[in-house]
Amino acid sequence: MNLDLSWILLGLPLAFILGWVASRLDLRQLRIENRRNPKAYFRGLNFLLNEQQDQAIDAFIEAVQNDPDTSELHFALGNLFRRRGEYERAVRVHEHLLARADLSVADRQRAQHALALDYLKAGLLDRADEALVKLEGTPFETQARLARLANYERSRDWAQAADIARQLDRSEHGSFSSRLAHYLCEQAAALLARGEIAQAEQALRQAITTAPDAARARIDLARLQLEHKQPEQACDTLQEALGACPAATPLIAAPLAQAAIASGRTVAMLARLQDIYEQGPSLDILEALVTLQAAAGSSNTSTRDWYAHHLEREPSLVAAAKWLAGEQLEHEQFHPQVQRALDHAIKPLTRYRCAACGFEAKQHFWQCPGCQAWDSYPARRVEEL
């Protein structure tokens, strides 16, 4: 018994000494690793600031290998992979983060958002949508919905886009009523292509209710009415559009002239458009006036007087070329060549230009083909800007 007690008395100090030595060794190792990790991290940061992404990635990989539990380094590494277009590696990094059981809720949501961005950049829209849906109810909810909205626009899934636009509109993160009206108009166009006229008209009327001050739905509805031999209704629809969205009058003028002629309201619409023109001259309103006056039985000379009148108000090469087309020149044999040169010169002036990216087009677009922005094309031609 005495022997056992003596061994215990000797063993206790020995165990204490061994524990102290082990702790010092662990502490020394920890200090070495701590010195190594910040060094690798700051080296990677320095490479990143100098736009040396390859070297930055190598440094961050070294730091992650030394301390695999550091989530911030994983996020930095994943973002670097995505910026370089290495989407598969970015996905692996963020999936590794999501697989960790010790990850905080905030970091898990952040990793889910980063994974969705990886899929978006890689063009894997189905996987991106699945990842974005998981962000509902998180701080990334609005960003996820906007990304899903862009996805549905890109794939022309207007029904899904309309649902997301309604959700965003209800969440009080800005008004999406105008965007929703565009989606309804796109749905109406698809319905018309399938011959579902009644459903298309219903969608257009819903779009008018959704965004009363937007012009597109009324213009599309009037064209539908004109195609189905309802010129009086088309004329009424376009007159409502003039009052609801006066900025779009240049876009309304041409179909309104067509509807007025078809419904026998030429004189009345000529007077109304003339009043609007006097308040704000426009090339498209000018063309509508010329069309209406010709339909009213005026001579070719009197209709062309509108171009001369426009030149008194605005220095317009387009109006000058159109006026000159009916004039007799002193050297008439050269008139065709002169006219051809003028027509060529005015082509760029009659285009529409996107206010967001500068993309020019012969026709007016509600969504820019270049930058995909909605309502970025002014109603006026390039010469009038």
Side-chain angles (χ1 to χ4, degrees):
M1 185 71 181
N2 291 335
L3 181 62
D4 292 341
L5 183 62
S6 63
W7 276 108
I8 291 171
L9 291 174
L10 287 172
L12 283 174
L14 183 61
F16 175 78
I17 292 170
L18 291 174
W20 181 82
V21 170
S23 67
R24 298 301 295 176
L25 289 173
D26 288 343
L27 183 61
R28 182 182 177 188
Q29 182 65 26
L30 183 62
R31 286 174 178 170
I32 291 172
E33 290 179 358
N34 285 341
R35 283 197 298 269
R36 186 185 302 158
N37 287 346
K39 184 177 180 182
Y41 175 78
F42 287 118
R43 190 167 68 250
L45 186 60
N46 182 56
F47 285 133
L48 191 60
L49 291 173
N50 289 317
E51 298 184 357
Q52 296 174 281
Q53 294 187 8
D54 290 335
Q55 294 89 333
I57 287 174
D58 292 339
F60 283 138
I61 288 175
E62 179 188 343
V64 167
Q65 288 172 344
N66 291 331
D67 186 5
D69 294 330
T70 306
S71 59
E72 287 300 328
L73 285 176
H74 282 78
F75 282 120
L77 196 56
N79 290 338
L80 273 174
F81 283 143
R82 190 192 313 127
R83 286 179 59 186
R84 284 179 50 82
E86 299 182 46
Y87 304 121
E88 290 185 9
R89 299 179 77 181
V91 166
R92 287 201 299 270
V93 168
H94 294 128
E95 284 180 339
H96 172 72
L97 277 172
L98 287 169
R100 282 174 48 179
D102 62 335
L103 203 64
S104 68
V105 174
D107 279 347
R108 186 169 299 279
Q109 293 168 350
R110 184 179 167 193
Q112 184 68 40
H113 180 247
L115 181 62
L117 292 180
D118 297 338
Y119 287 138
L120 281 173
K121 290 292 186 180
L124 303 173
L125 301 187
D126 291 341
R127 291 188 181 183
D129 193 62
E130 291 175 6
L132 291 166
V133 168
K134 294 178 182 178
L135 292 169
E136 288 291 321
T138 72
F140 297 97
E141 180 181 74
T142 300
Q143 296 177 48
R145 286 177 177 176
L146 288 170
R148 291 177 68 198
L149 192 66
N151 274 354
Y152 294 139
E153 285 185 6
R154 194 186 309 177
S155 59
R156 303 187 70 78
D157 189 343
W158 303 115
Q160 292 274 31
D163 289 340
I164 297 296
R166 290 188 186 96
Q167 293 176 25
L168 287 166
D169 206 46
R170 288 193 297 266
S171 65
E172 299 180 354
H173 288 286
S175 175
F176 283 79
S177 58
S178 178
R179 188 84 69 92
L180 179 56
H182 281 301
Y183 299 155
L184 290 167
C185 290
E186 294 288 350
Q187 287 178 267
L191 289 166
L192 276 176
R194 297 197 297 266
E196 300 176 29
I197 299 167
Q199 294 87 335
E201 183 175 348
Q202 183 180 356
L204 290 172
R205 293 194 181 280
Q206 186 181 350
I208 292 171
T209 304
T210 301
D213 57 345
R216 180 183 181 180
R218 286 188 172 91
I219 293 174
D220 288 355
L221 178 59
R223 285 177 178 152
L224 175 61
Q225 290 166 335
L226 276 171
E227 287 174 6
H228 292 86
K229 311 302 181 185
Q230 297 174 323
E232 294 84 2
Q233 293 91 325
C235 203
D236 292 337
T237 299
L238 291 167
Q239 287 193 85
E240 290 173 8
L242 287 176
C245 33
T249 300
L251 300 177
I252 299 167
L256 180 58
Q258 184 183 354
I261 294 168
S263 61
R265 302 184 189 179
T266 303
V267 176
M269 286 305 103
L270 181 60
R272 181 165 187 187
L273 281 181
Q274 186 172 351
D275 289 340
I276 294 172
Y277 173 84
E278 294 300 335
Q279 296 171 17
S282 160
L283 288 172
D284 289 285
I285 300 175
L286 174 66
E287 286 300 318
L289 287 169
V290 170
T291 301
L292 286 169
Q293 193 152 348
S298 300
S299 66
N300 184 48
T301 303
S302 60
T303 56
R304 287 176 48 259
D305 285 345
W306 274 107
Y307 295 123
H309 178 61
H310 187 80
L311 288 169
E312 292 175 358
R313 307 264 321 252
E314 301 286 334
S316 169
L317 184 60
V318 175
K322 294 194 175 185
W323 175 83
L324 192 62
E327 283 295 301
Q328 292 290 323
L329 302 183
E330 181 179 354
H331 301 284
E332 185 60 23
Q333 68 272 24
F334 300 119
H335 196 168
Q337 295 90 324
V338 172
Q339 193 62 49
R340 190 163 53 250
L342 285 172
D343 291 341
H344 180 74
I346 66 174
K347 278 184 180 179
L349 302 178
T350 59
R351 295 173 183 163
Y352 295 95
R353 180 187 295 153
C354 174
C357 70
F359 187 92
E360 293 187 2
K362 293 180 180 179
Q363 68 183 78
H364 182 275
F365 286 101
W366 299 106
Q367 184 184 25
C368 176
C371 64
Q372 306 302 308
W374 289 97
D375 294 319
S376 59
Y377 276 87
R380 292 182 173 271
R381 311 276 178 167
V382 167
E383 187 184 60
E384 302 172 290
L385 298 178

